[in-house]
Amino acid sequence: MSIVDDTPQTDRTEPAPPRRAAARPPRPAPPEPGPAGDLRSRVEELRELRDRVLAGPGDKATAAQHARGKLTVRERLELLFDKGTFVETEALRRHRATGFGLEDRRPHTDGVVTGWGEVDGRTVFVYAHDFRIFGGALGEAHAQKIHKIMDLALAAGAPVVGLCDGAGARIQEGVTALAGYGGIFQRNVRGSGVIPQISVIMGPCAGGAAYSPALTDFVFMVRGTSQMFITGPDVVQAVTGEQIGHDALGGADVHARTSGVAAFAYDDEESCLEDVRHLLAYLPANNRELPPAEPVHDPVDRRCEALADLVPADPQRAYDMRHVIAEIADDGEYFEVHELWAANVVCALARLGGQTVGFVANQPLVTAGVLDIEASEKAARFVQFCDAFNIPLVTLVDVPGFLPGVDQEHGGVIRHGAKLLYAYCNATVPRVQVILRKAYGGAYIVMDSRSIGCDVSLAWPTNEIAVMGAEGAANVVFRREIAASPDPEETRRARIEEYRRELMHPYYAAERGLVDDVIDPADTRTELIRALDMLRHKHAQLPGRKHGNQPQ
């Protein structure tokens, strides 16, 4: 007998009915505001405080700043950074010094604005003095803000820009102000060759304050409103009896033309800050990165036919080497460094095939392009900077030698010339040399010759590489024969031609492997881009050492 179970079957996998959601407790009524107010009132208080900080010390101080022909610190930051990207740090910082009335004057920011923002979408750190507060003078809290932002820049691996407009150390704070400068100098040195450091002098920069810009990579100055000096005109007059004004002692043109302290000088702050942005566009964020590449609109195989007209075949005729650089570079654009100082050598950043390169070139338009003390220093520092930040070097050579003279020898041209030699020999970035015309003596070797390690050496068919010019060589080698000749001038001409024919023809160095190829000048751009593309992943290992002992 079978038993039939007619109980309805259920699916055991069927989910259980959903639980009923627990009822939410009613929202509690807001508490009655206490004596200190609620959070909204605190936020409103914070907003008002920030507005006061942004407004600065007042309309009167702002009007005085403008009357001096200078922008305020906030106006400068708006020009430097992409709109809306600046983030300020320690805006509410105030000093804690006492004495001499300081306890009654404790403005926020303590006279320096610090933070970071973006320049063309890339992070850049900044500290900017506010001359309206204590004349931008540096005290303990002021210095600590700068220390912190420099440490952040180094940790983040991004450039740091200093907008300098300060009256030096805050005398009322004594030795703590001096210690603050020491901390800045230490960080300048620690960051050297690791992150780009740029100083923009937009007002006074005197005494110990001047050493920090001197330790950075580039110094910008503004004519009429910025000065740099260790001892001011009053001290100079008291000690030496010399009478001199602020601009004549340490103005923009003095440092851009005479001392070489300033790499750039401008007529106004707007164009100055525009070029700071332009310079940053060529540079990597730090020494572990390659410089930013740009899209290439200028054909890499563009022939430079104009070079045949720009450069005379006669080695005695002058021309402007900057026109050569413009013809070779992408879209004819380059950014010259130290344009007004040591003009017999040209140092410039440009792009080839979209990649940043550093050009070092003799300038036949100025003292025939000879190397001297100042030109050697200028080029050496530029080579070192490019090498530190992975910027390939292109050296354009048209040099008759080192400048002779008692002043040069007594001034240490040997020591200063060795700086350039050291910089090239120590450089591990891709290095390409192009010899346009003459390359004589030790100056040929120093201008990144194959013998000191350039990777690729090219030459035009107008090149003359020799110990010295044919005229000088003939006078030395054939001196006795010329003196004994019945027609000394004819004999001299014949020997000069013989020397030039035997030892200075354009293929002499190529036949001996000291030049890789002799090229059509019109192909210079193409050949440079090819060589640099080949060298893009170059790896050179220096000997293990703490550091070298370069000539000083």
Side-chain angles (χ1 to χ4, degrees):
M1 177 177 172
S2 64
I3 300 175
V4 178
D5 185 1
D6 50 357
T7 303
Q9 299 295 312
T10 60
D11 186 352
R12 296 179 183 273
T13 62
E14 184 178 343
R19 294 181 180 180
R20 185 176 179 181
R24 292 181 179 177
R27 179 177 295 174
E32 291 295 323
D38 61 10
L39 182 57
R40 286 190 177 85
S41 66
R42 291 295 185 90
V43 171
E44 184 59 31
E45 179 185 353
L46 172 62
R47 242 185 237 115
E48 291 174 359
L49 177 58
R50 289 193 181 279
D51 288 343
R52 291 198 301 272
V53 171
L54 290 174
D59 293 340
K60 184 178 179 181
T62 298
Q65 180 79 348
H66 288 160
R68 298 183 186 98
K70 301 192 294 185
L71 300 175
T72 66
V73 64
R74 305 286 175 181
E75 291 167 339
R76 291 165 176 167
L77 293 173
E78 287 178 5
L79 291 172
L80 177 63
F81 289 109
D82 300 345
K83 187 176 181 179
T85 64
F86 179 63
V87 179
E88 187 171 353
T89 62
E90 296 195 273
L92 305 181
R93 187 73 181 265
R94 301 200 296 179
H95 73 77
R96 55 187 178 183
T98 58
F100 305 101
L102 282 180
E103 62 272 15
D104 300 322
R105 298 178 60 202
R106 300 181 63 232
H108 292 99
T109 73
D110 201 46
V112 64
V113 177
T114 58
W116 70 87
E118 293 181 0
V119 175
D120 293 329
R122 302 166 67 218
T123 299
V124 173
F125 289 79
V126 70
Y127 62 88
H129 300 134
D130 190 344
F131 192 80
R132 300 171 300 170
I133 298 175
F134 297 128
L138 181 138
E140 180 186 29
H142 183 122
Q144 288 174 352
K145 287 181 65 175
I146 297 176
H147 296 169
K148 183 179 291 186
I149 210 65
M150 294 178 77
D151 289 341
L152 274 176
L154 193 58
V160 62
V161 176
L163 304 184
C164 304
D165 187 5
R170 197 174 298 170
I171 299 172
Q172 300 94 322
E173 295 197 30
V175 71
T176 55
L178 297 179
Y181 275 125
I184 294 172
F185 304 156
Q186 183 190 48
R187 287 164 174 81
N188 286 139
V189 174
R190 191 188 306 161
S192 181
V194 181
I195 56 173
Q197 300 180 73
I198 297 172
S199 296
V200 189
I201 314 302
M202 314 193 90
C205 184
Y211 284 116
S212 177
L215 291 169
T216 59
D217 299 307
F218 298 102
V219 175
F220 289 71
M221 293 188 73
V222 181
R223 294 184 177 94
T225 57
S226 64
Q227 303 91 29
M228 292 178 69
F229 35 69
I230 299 300
T231 54
D234 294 341
V235 177
V236 169
Q237 183 175 358
V239 175
T240 69
E242 298 173 282
Q243 291 187 345
I244 191 168
H246 288 80
D247 265 351
L249 180 62
D253 282 319
V254 169
H255 288 307
R257 295 178 182 275
T258 306
S259 73
V261 171
F264 310 96
Y266 299 87
D267 292 328
D268 57 77
E269 294 188 9
E270 291 84 354
S271 57
C272 177
L273 292 170
E274 181 181 356
D275 265 7
V276 173
R277 289 174 56 90
H278 188 52
L279 172 61
L280 287 166
Y282 284 103
L283 308 181
N286 55 66
N287 66 339
R288 301 182 302 277
E289 297 183 4
L290 293 175
E294 290 286 326
V296 183
H297 303 294
D298 193 350
V300 297
D301 59 351
R302 171 174 59 82
R303 285 178 58 80
C304 303
E305 301 288 356
L307 291 177
D309 300 317
L310 290 173
V311 181
D314 181 357
Q316 305 302 320
R317 289 181 58 193
Y319 62 94
D320 194 339
M321 184 65 83
R322 292 173 297 184
H323 294 163
V324 175
I325 295 173
E327 180 64 21
I328 295 170
D330 290 356
D331 303 312
E333 294 182 359
Y334 64 93
F335 191 65
E336 188 171 357
V337 178
H338 283 296
E339 178 183 358
L340 303 176
W341 179 61
N344 43 327
V345 68
V346 176
C347 298
L349 294 167
R351 288 189 175 88
L352 283 172
Q355 306 292 330
T356 299
V357 299
F359 278 97
V360 179
N362 306 112
Q363 174 58 293
L365 204 60
V366 180
T367 59
V370 296
L371 288 176
D372 59 9
I373 289 172
E374 291 184 344
S376 298
E377 285 193 344
K378 170 180 169 178
R381 183 159 173 80
F382 184 73
V383 168
Q384 287 179 153
F385 174 82
C386 290
D387 185 52
F389 291 103
N390 309 311
I391 299 173
L393 288 161
V394 174
T395 305
L396 304 180
V397 183
D398 192 347
V399 62
F402 278 91
L403 181 65
V406 175
D407 288 346
Q408 287 290 307
E409 296 296 342
H410 288 186
V413 68
I414 297 171
R415 176 168 49 88
H416 293 284
K419 292 179 183 178
L420 181 54
L421 185 61
Y422 187 99
Y424 269 124
C425 290
N426 206 46
T428 61
V429 292
R431 294 154 52 188
V432 182
Q433 178 198 50
V434 183
I435 302 168
L436 280 63
R437 298 193 309 185
K438 54 192 175 296
Y440 297 157
Y444 154 67
I445 301 173
V446 168
M447 289 296 291
D448 204 20
S449 65
R450 191 61 185 270
S451 59
I452 65 169
C454 91
D455 299 296
V456 175
S457 178
L458 305 172
W460 288 5
T462 47
N463 81 83
E464 292 183 354
I465 307 173
V467 175
M468 63 179 67
E471 292 81 2
N475 288 337
V476 172
V477 176
F478 305 109
R479 180 179 66 254
R480 293 181 180 177
E481 180 183 347
I482 292 171
S485 171
D487 189 347
E489 285 305 315
E490 179 59 32
T491 302
R492 179 181 287 106
R493 280 195 295 271
R495 292 309 187 192
I496 288 172
E497 181 57 33
E498 178 186 356
Y499 186 87
R500 181 176 285 118
R501 183 175 60 252
E502 294 295 327
L503 296 178
M504 295 180 63
H505 65 80
Y507 307 104
Y508 186 86
E511 290 170 358
R512 285 152 181 80
L514 297 175
V515 167
D516 292 297
D517 199 7
V518 179
I519 63 171
D520 180 348
D523 293 330
T524 303
R525 170 179 166 82
T526 302
E527 294 296 335
L528 284 173
I529 293 174
R530 284 176 178 170
L532 293 172
D533 281 345
M534 176 271 293
L535 292 165
R536 184 159 299 160
H537 301 292
K538 172 186 174 181
H539 176 74
Q541 190 70 39
L542 291 174
R545 59 186 175 186
K546 186 175 182 180
H547 57 74
N549 185 21
Q550 73 178 69
Q552 297 296 329

